[in-house]
Structure formats: structure tokens, C-alpha cells
Amino acid sequence: MTLDDLRVFVAVCAAGSLSAVARDLACTQSAVSQHVKRLERETGMSLLERQPRGVVPTAAGRILCDAAADGIAGLDLALRRLGDLANGECGSVRITTGGTTVRHFMAEAIVSFRRRYPKVNLEFQTEASGRRCFDALLGSNLDLAWITIGRPVRGIEQRPVVELPWVLAARDDDPLSARSRIDASDLAGIRLVRLPPNSTSGAHLDAAFAELGIRAGSDTSVADWDTALLLAELGLGHAVVPAVPAAPGHVDDGRLRLIPIPSLPPVPVGWAVRRWDALPPLARAFADTVVRDCAKKAIGTSLTADPAP
């Protein structure tokens, strides 16, 4: 049993697919299978169960996967911290997040951080959803994930930073644009641009609508909040989105109105890590820089001034 065997096995459990892991590792599916078979020979137990759409860990596989994932995460973090000690302030910080997050939440913080740590490399990995961010965080040596806060995830600590109020995006020539606020009940029957499928923010909105008994139609779904705003600006529908900071320029030139919907509960966003107490110092410094920048700009409602005590 080798560390590589365990890393590959954890990756297979997270992906639910031998072929997907083979693609990620640029090797053959047979090579991935050999890692798993070696573990099964040494444990004397079946660790994976084949299903029509991939594989899932057996009961024994889940036990081994959980233990291996915790151990690998701890080892990776220890190696990173040793590297920081050896290199001083010349290391790297690895972040995973959605495609538009950097522009909305981190632009000024990145500038501040680079001025303070000019030799530190910031590496960003874009994922399509919060779930994918969690998988990437668990399955690699990433430090941080900026996500929409949702349900607890095993092996992940989530820390909300700000709460974003919901707004209705409508063109300035739309009858609703004259209002200073929108009640959630006014959205009943309106065709909305749907938020990203299976996204945490979309789940927040769907849950709020269900609790209020609102049924809103949808003609189009989008990959991110910015695209929803763009379609609303083009007159292709209304969009209910979180009021993100640094809104696109087309909001400021009068073509698009963002109207508050105070009856919808705000959506929390913030950091996720494997373990805050084991976060490398440089990653902690970057996380804190983003939090302070969010608080300084009074984005939504600030929830914490120090995400990693």
C-alpha cells in the first residue's frame, strides 16, 4: 500500500469514475484500476462497487477513503507549511472558486496582498459549482475555496464572510424598474433567468421561493450571475441575483436597475478550507486580506472580520 495508491483511491471515490481520474492523471484506466486492486488485495476487502454510471465506495471503501483523505490532507498541509518555513515569503497560495468571484470579491485584496507579499504566487483554479470546489479542495493541495455557504460537507470547514441581499435585475424601460423595492410575492408568474443549475445560490433561492409559496417561471438558465445580469440588460428576462460588489459597468450607465427584494433572506458567501487550524500562514494571510477588503467596502452584511483565528 503506497501513498499514491491512497491518493488515487480517494480521487476515484470523489469523482465516482475510474476513467475521469485517469484523464486527470494523464494515465490509462487500467493503471488507475491497479492502484485500487492493490489496496483491495492488502485489505482483503472489496472497496468499490460498480454501478451503471460509475463506481461508489463500499462500506469498507468509505472507511478507508475517509481515513486516507484526512491523512493525505494533513500530510499535504504539513508539507506546505514546511515549504513556507524553508522559503520564507516566497511560497504560493492556491484558491478554487467560480469564474466571476475574483472580479467581484478579490480584485482589490489581490493588489493589497501582492504589495505585501510580492514574491508569493497566487494560483486560481476555476470550478463550475460549489460542489466542484469542495471536490477540488478535498482531492488536491488547494488551500482555499470561495463558495456560497450551504449544507455541511464532510471534511470541509465553511466560514461565512458576508451576506448578500437579493435584487431583481430589470431594464430601465421595464415597469418594475420604477420601484424602490420589490416584494417577493411580486415575482409570482414572472419569467426569470434561472441561476446556474445545481448551484448553491440557486438552491437558496428555490428554498426561499418554496417557503414563501412563490412559483416563478424560467425560460433560460445561465452559468453564472454575470450572465444573468447580461441577459436582463438585453431584455431577455428578469433576473434575481445576489447583490455582488463591483457590479458590471452596464449597471452604472442606467440601462439596468437592481431593485432590492428585502423579503428574501440574504445568501451567505465566504471561505471553505479543510482545516482552519492547519492553514498555511500565507493562505491565512490572503483569506484575512479578502475578509478585511469585504468589510471595508461594506459588501452586504459583514459576518466576520477574522476567518481564521
Side-chain angles (χ1 to χ4, degrees), residues 46-69:
S46 176
L47 300 176
L48 292 177
E49 176 184 344
R50 292 189 176 275
Q51 294 190 341
R53 294 189 176 182
V55 295
V56 296
T58 62
R62 285 193 296 272
I63 292 173
L64 180 61
C65 180
D66 290 344

Side-chain angles (χ1 to χ4, degrees), residues 6 15 24 58 84 86 98 115 169 194 253 256 285 297 306:
L6 294 172
D24 290 343
T58 62
D84 288 343
R115 286 173 178 166
R194 184 171 177 79
D253 63 17
L256 193 67
K297 292 188 291 188
D306 183 4

Side-chain angles (χ1 to χ4, degrees), residues 27-70:
C27 66
T28 65
Q29 183 171 328
S30 176
V32 172
S33 180
Q34 287 303 314
H35 285 287
V36 177
K37 289 179 179 178
R38 187 155 44 238
L39 292 175
E40 290 182 325
R41 285 196 301 269
E42 295 198 26
T43 60
M45 305 185 76
S46 176
L47 300 176
L48 292 177
E49 176 184 344
R50 292 189 176 275
Q51 294 190 341
R53 294 189 176 182
V55 295
V56 296
T58 62
R62 285 193 296 272
I63 292 173
L64 180 61
C65 180
D66 290 344
D70 289 343

Side-chain angles (χ1 to χ4, degrees), residues 7-8 10-12 14 24-25 69 72-73 76 125 132-142 156 274:
R7 285 187 185 277
V8 170
V10 170
V12 169
D24 290 343
L25 298 179
I72 291 170
D76 285 343
Q125 176 176 316
R132 295 289 298 272
C133 285
F134 292 139
D135 290 343
L137 197 59
L138 290 169
S140 67
N141 61 351
L142 291 165
I156 296 288
R274 286 170 290 191

Side-chain angles (χ1 to χ4, degrees), residues 37-204:
K37 289 179 179 178
R38 187 155 44 238
L39 292 175
E40 290 182 325
R41 285 196 301 269
E42 295 198 26
T43 60
M45 305 185 76
S46 176
L47 300 176
L48 292 177
E49 176 184 344
R50 292 189 176 275
Q51 294 190 341
R53 294 189 176 182
V55 295
V56 296
T58 62
R62 285 193 296 272
I63 292 173
L64 180 61
C65 180
D66 290 344
D70 289 343
I72 291 170
L75 178 60
D76 285 343
L77 287 171
L79 292 174
R80 291 289 308 284
R81 298 190 76 170
L82 288 174
D84 288 343
L85 287 175
N87 298 325
E89 296 179 353
C90 301
S92 62
V93 179
R94 300 178 177 92
I95 307 105
T96 180
T97 186
T100 62
T101 296
V102 172
R103 179 158 64 95
H104 287 307
F105 295 96
M106 300 181 187
E108 293 181 18
I110 289 172
V111 174
S112 299
F113 182 82
R114 291 302 299 272
R115 286 173 178 166
R116 184 178 177 188
Y117 302 100
K119 298 181 180 180
V120 174
N121 185 34
L122 292 174
E123 300 177 11
F124 292 92
Q125 176 176 316
T126 301
E127 296 292 349
S129 67
R131 178 70 260 178
R132 295 289 298 272
C133 285
F134 292 139
D135 290 343
L137 197 59
L138 290 169
S140 67
N141 61 351
L142 291 165
D143 299 304
L144 298 156
W146 182 270
I147 46 94
T148 301
I149 304 297
R151 295 178 179 177
V153 176
R154 181 180 177 84
I156 296 288
E157 296 182 31
Q158 301 181 56
R159 297 228 174 162
V161 175
V162 292
E163 288 188 330
L164 303 176
W166 292 94
V167 294
L168 177 71
R171 283 176 58 97
D172 61 346
D173 56 0
D174 188 284
L176 293 174
S177 68
R179 300 192 185 185
S180 60
R181 55 187 287 171
I182 296 288
D183 189 86
S185 61
D186 296 330
L187 301 175
I190 292 180
R191 308 299 292 183
L192 298 176
V193 175
R194 184 171 177 79
L195 293 181
N198 302 318
S199 68
T200 305
S201 58
H204 275 282

Side-chain angles (χ1 to χ4, degrees), residues 286-306:
F286 181 73
D288 290 346
T289 302
V290 173
V291 170
R292 285 194 295 270
D293 187 59
C294 288
K296 180 180 67 176
K297 292 188 291 188
I299 301 169
T301 302
S302 180
L303 298 178
T304 177
D306 183 4

